[in-house]
Amino acid sequence: MKKLSEIITKLLSLKNKKINISSVKMDSRKIEKDDVFFALNNGKNYIEDVLKKGASLVICDDKKWEGHERVKVVEDTLMTMQEIAYEYRKELSVKVIGIVGSNGKTTTKDIVYSILSTKYKCIKTEGNYNNHIGVPYTLLQLKEDDDYAVVEMGMSNKGEIKVLCDIALPDYGIITNIGDSHLEFLLNRENVFIEKSEIKNYVDSKNLILFGDDFYLKNLEGIKVGFGENNNYIIKDYIETEKGIEFQIDNEKYYFGMNGKHNCINASIGVTIGKKLNLSINEINEGLKNCVVTPMRFQKIEKNGIKYINDSYNASPVSMKYSLETFNNVYKNISKIAVLADMGELGNDELKYHIDTIEYALSLDIEKIIILGKIMKEASNSIENKEKLIIAETKEEIKNIIRESFSDRIILLKGSNFNHLWEIME
């Protein structure tokens, strides 16, 4: 990482002109010899340990380390990391693909990365490192010979996508959809659209890929993919199987091993950018076949003899409906239970969204709906026919309910991350 070493030496005015950099880390537990360590947040408590492990440089804003030969004290560690990432990104010939949207960003990121990796040298955002810390950190993982960086960009408030784009300088943009996420701060979907579509100011419209059936995106200039006839790439012959989905674009057949119409859209976005970057049908299908999706996205798991669909990483009104619809369609004529928990950041209308979600779940062929959380419980008061509803107070109670009454059913777990619904499987 010669270029990164040169940038760090120059920006930080280091006396030692030959810093060996193996990689960049934020987690002190993962430090190896010649790593650069950014001591963010409580990372500064582990600087001594990091130095013992052989880090070539520690960057921190703790004055007590002033003067140490392998520690550079700066005014603000995060701002320094962002500046270094920005300068490093500018020096590289890598093409950055920025992915924004209310739902499906992480799965789309995994799909795009897997497809492009069949032909090109790529990196992607790991896990949910998609914010003002995660995006620069991702860029600092780049090697000088990488072709593409697939960068997920998340937000919860105004101006955050612009900050991330200013650092990453995307060459290609993807907007998955505009939903009801972050309404606590953004108030309505129009504001969500304004913030998410900020990426259009950084990429040429011929390099902007959109879900064209979305109400807010259909009139935005770019390459559109979707089921409607107005799209540049039209999804046809969409079929659900227990093993995944099949669909066609331009009379070419594609297969993806996850269920749901929403995952068909995510996969189709991957197909579209694959075609744009000159991959063959076989290469694209190979990427779809070998895609390793970040856990807790409609993940099929069997624990203690009970079959779960773990879709509990996060939730919004749109993703709740997608998940329930997919669960209902894939497991037709099979006894099934849905565990639904609170959704976060929905603003003043949060109760309405929770009522709508429960009502939609009750309209499906699902035997029982087990609900958890303060808002879900309040929303249940508005439901007239509660015959299919079970209101639980704790995850431990849900475990017992499943073990005693529903151990032979398929169980869907869906709710925002803070509910930790996956603990029900433990």
Side-chain angles (χ1 to χ4, degrees):
M1 303 178 81
K2 185 180 175 184
K3 284 185 179 179
L4 181 57
S5 177
E6 290 171 354
I7 288 167
I8 289 176
T9 299
K10 180 180 177 182
L11 285 178
L12 301 185
S13 304
L14 300 179
K15 294 175 183 177
N16 180 1
K17 303 296 182 184
K18 294 182 179 178
I19 305 170
N20 293 320
I21 301 178
S22 175
S23 65
V24 173
K25 303 275 176 65
M26 296 188 298
D27 188 338
S28 62
R29 297 166 296 182
K30 297 179 180 179
I31 288 292
E32 297 176 359
K33 191 177 184 305
D34 289 337
D35 284 346
V36 170
F37 178 64
F38 283 90
L40 292 165
N41 302 320
N42 68 346
K44 63 185 71 174
N45 298 327
Y46 302 97
I47 291 174
E48 189 173 342
D49 183 45
V50 163
L51 292 170
K52 285 178 182 177
K53 289 180 177 179
S56 57
L57 180 67
V58 173
I59 299 170
C60 73
D61 48 25
D62 188 342
K63 302 291 185 188
K64 78 176 184 181
W65 289 96
E66 199 83 64
H68 193 287
E69 62 178 358
R70 283 191 287 146
V71 180
K72 178 63 180 179
V73 178
V74 296
E75 196 65 35
D76 185 302
T77 306
L78 176 56
M79 286 184 66
T80 300
M81 185 170 81
Q82 291 174 339
E83 185 180 2
I84 291 170
Y86 166 73
E87 293 295 338
Y88 185 48
R89 186 266 176 275
K90 286 198 302 180
E91 281 292 309
L92 300 178
S93 59
V94 66
K95 299 295 184 185
V96 173
I97 300 168
I99 301 178
V100 303
S102 296
N103 306 105
K105 293 186 298 296
T106 302
T107 302
T108 301
K109 169 204 70 181
D110 293 332
I111 292 168
V112 171
Y113 168 80
S114 186
I115 289 172
L116 296 188
S117 293
T118 62
K119 185 172 183 176
Y120 301 109
K121 193 168 184 292
C122 308
I123 72 159
K124 66 175 179 176
T125 301
E126 291 300 330
N128 63 334
Y129 278 10
N130 65 6
N131 63 2
H132 60 299
I133 297 173
V135 167
Y137 180 71
T138 298
L139 296 173
L140 290 171
Q141 307 309 307
L142 284 162
K143 301 293 189 291
E144 292 173 25
D145 60 345
D146 282 326
D147 299 306
Y148 290 94
V150 185
V151 180
E152 181 181 338
M153 298 179 174
M155 56 158 284
S156 58
N157 219 326
K158 290 182 179 179
E160 292 177 358
I161 294 297
K162 184 179 188 308
V163 169
L164 301 183
C165 286
D166 282 339
I167 296 169
L169 302 174
D171 301 281
Y172 298 86
I174 292 171
I175 310 179
T176 59
N177 56 23
I178 303 299
D180 300 308
S181 306
H182 320 305
L183 295 187
E184 181 181 353
F185 308 105
L186 296 176
L187 303 180
N188 54 54
R189 276 197 188 188
E190 286 77 11
N191 288 336
V192 174
F193 168 66
I194 290 168
E195 294 302 316
K196 300 284 186 185
S197 63
E198 181 69 35
I199 197 170
K200 76 181 186 302
N201 298 320
Y202 293 81
V203 303
D204 192 293
S205 61
K206 68 178 185 291
N207 293 333
L208 181 63
I209 296 171
L210 313 163
F211 173 44
D213 296 344
D214 186 282
F215 176 80
Y216 291 93
L217 300 179
K218 63 185 178 183
N219 295 320
L220 205 60
E221 193 175 353
I223 301 169
K224 298 183 180 71
V225 57
F227 295 91
E229 294 296 322
N230 63 306
N231 291 290
N232 304 98
Y233 291 95
I234 301 169
I235 305 166
K236 294 183 177 179
D237 297 335
Y238 158 64
I239 300 171
E240 286 272 6
T241 72
E242 196 167 339
K243 292 182 179 179
I245 51 176
E246 302 174 10
F247 60 97
Q248 288 193 30
I249 292 178
D250 287 346
N251 295 317
E252 299 161 352
K253 287 187 177 182
Y254 297 97
Y255 309 86
F256 184 52
M258 288 186 74
N259 290 108
K261 196 173 183 179
H262 55 303
N263 283 317
C264 183
I265 295 161
N266 299 335
S268 298
I269 288 171
V271 170
T272 301
I273 197 161
K275 289 165 75 73
K276 180 165 183 60
L277 297 178
N278 303 313
L279 274 75
S280 68
I281 303 169
N282 288 340
E283 287 169 330
I284 293 171
N285 261 322
E286 182 186 345
L288 289 172
K289 179 184 176 182
N290 296 328
C291 180
V292 178
V293 175
T294 304
M296 295 191 282
R297 273 81 174 175
F298 215 82
Q299 185 181 18
K300 298 167 187 176
I301 296 175
E302 186 164 334
K303 285 278 185 80
N304 302 316
I306 302 172
K307 293 179 180 178
Y308 295 93
I309 304 298
N310 183 13
D311 201 14
S312 64
Y313 178 75
N314 226 330
S316 68
V318 172
S319 70
M320 276 280 198
K321 184 174 181 182
Y322 276 146
S323 189
L324 286 162
E325 179 183 48
T326 303
F327 185 57
N328 189 61
N329 292 342
V330 172
Y331 298 101
K332 279 182 180 176
N333 304 318
I334 296 174
S335 296
K336 49 193 174 288
I337 307 296
V339 179
L340 307 180
D342 284 355
M343 299 175 278
E345 296 185 4
L346 292 179
N348 294 334
D349 289 330
E350 65 177 7
L351 186 60
K352 175 185 177 298
Y353 288 120
H354 284 77
I355 293 169
D356 290 347
T357 296
I358 294 173
E359 287 178 342
Y360 180 71
L362 291 171
S363 72
L364 302 175
D365 182 27
I366 299 174
E367 184 179 349
K368 293 287 183 183
I369 314 296
I370 304 173
I371 61 171
L372 177 72
K374 181 182 174 182
I375 313 170
M376 277 291 184
K377 188 176 180 181
E378 186 180 352
S380 70
N381 294 331
S382 300
I383 306 298
E384 289 185 16
N385 187 353
K386 294 183 173 63
E387 187 180 342
K388 287 170 64 175
L389 270 187
I390 298 175
I391 301 166
E393 297 296 332
T394 65
K395 291 188 285 288
E396 196 60 42
E397 183 184 347
I398 294 174
K399 283 185 187 181
N400 292 332
I401 291 169
I402 291 171
R403 276 198 300 262
E404 292 171 9
S405 304
F406 304 118
S407 61
D408 59 340
R409 315 298 205 271
I410 294 175
I411 315 291
L412 171 69
L413 306 177
K414 184 66 178 174
S416 283
N417 191 279
F418 58 78
N419 297 286
H420 293 192
L421 281 185
W422 60 87
E423 293 175 355
I424 290 169
M425 298 186 294
E426 295 172 358

